[in-house]
Amino acid sequence: MMPSDDKPQSRRRAYAPDPGATGQPCDRPGCELAGEYRAPKSRAALRDFHWFCLEHVREYNASWDYYKGMSADEIEAEARSDSSWQRPTWPLGQNGQAARMEEAVRAELHAFAFGTRPKKPQSQDTPPELREPLEVFGLTWPVTLDVVKTRYKELAKRHHPDANQGDRGAEETLKTINLAYAALRGKLAATARPEAQAATS
């Protein structure tokens, strides 16, 4: 077999310098090494970069917390937006194949976040669309919006990345908690409105 004249394509090695490096020195004060690795300056400027040497970009990335300084409501809104890739979403139907798909998605989210499949609630009068969110919150039906809000604050505080040394698993768990909270809050708020109108009429 004749040897090929084609040279094997070179692979970019791990931690190779960024090809877009500007040639400037590391942005860490006092460091004279080349700034060959970029890192976003802030959550509001993800395309505006610092340039660091390898040691200092590792240090910077280890302390980076996208959610730092955000309230629980802001984190919830951001997580909901991220879960749909910043695109508008519409609820799946409650009948037929769409409902089965929604239930399957919720089960997968729970399994991903907690490592186990959720158990079915024993109460037969629990709204089907709230079974998974209630399992995530560890609550049973019936439940009030105030109880859900209190439980959400507890879970958000427990699983916030700041409370878990930036653990990625905690961040994913928080996203699941936010999705569950949005489903519960939307349903309970919609249920409470007709009752409030009836009480004032």
Side-chain angles (χ1 to χ4, degrees), residues 3 15 23 27 48 52 61 65 87 105 116 120 144 156 175 180 199:
Y15 306 115
D27 282 345
D48 189 10
F52 294 112
N61 288 341
D65 180 5
R87 296 187 180 187
V105 168
T116 59
K120 294 293 182 181
T144 66
K175 288 182 180 181

Side-chain angles (χ1 to χ4, degrees), residues 28-51:
R28 176 58 62 89
C31 181
E32 298 180 357
L33 296 176
E36 298 177 314
Y37 304 87
R38 60 183 172 180
K41 289 186 175 180
S42 72
R43 179 175 62 243
L46 293 176
R47 296 187 180 278
D48 189 10
F49 303 107
H50 288 297
W51 288 92

Side-chain angles (χ1 to χ4, degrees), residues 50-156:
H50 288 297
W51 288 92
F52 294 112
C53 65
L54 181 58
E55 177 184 354
H56 289 136
V57 79
R58 285 173 170 168
E59 182 181 309
Y60 182 87
N61 288 341
S63 63
W64 170 267
D65 180 5
Y66 182 84
Y67 295 110
K68 187 175 182 179
M70 296 175 72
S71 67
D73 287 341
E74 289 171 333
I75 293 173
E76 175 193 352
E78 189 74 17
R80 290 176 64 189
S81 177
D82 285 345
S83 67
S84 59
W85 297 277
Q86 289 80 40
R87 296 187 180 187
T89 60
W90 295 267
L92 293 169
Q94 298 304 315
N95 297 310
Q97 184 178 3
R100 289 192 295 274
M101 287 176 59
E102 182 178 15
E103 185 175 352
V105 168
R106 284 186 176 140
E108 288 301 322
L109 284 172
H110 191 284
F112 179 77
F114 299 102
T116 59
R117 297 285 172 182
K119 297 178 180 178
K120 294 293 182 181
Q122 301 196 2
S123 175
Q124 296 299 318
D125 59 346
T126 304
E129 68 273 19
L130 297 186
R131 289 174 183 170
E132 298 302 334
L134 286 169
E135 282 291 326
V136 171
F137 272 50
L139 299 173
T140 56
W141 186 263
V143 68
T144 66
L145 185 56
D146 286 340
V147 170
V148 168
K149 287 181 178 179
T150 300
R151 181 64 173 154
Y152 170 71
K153 289 178 182 178
E154 294 172 358
L155 292 173

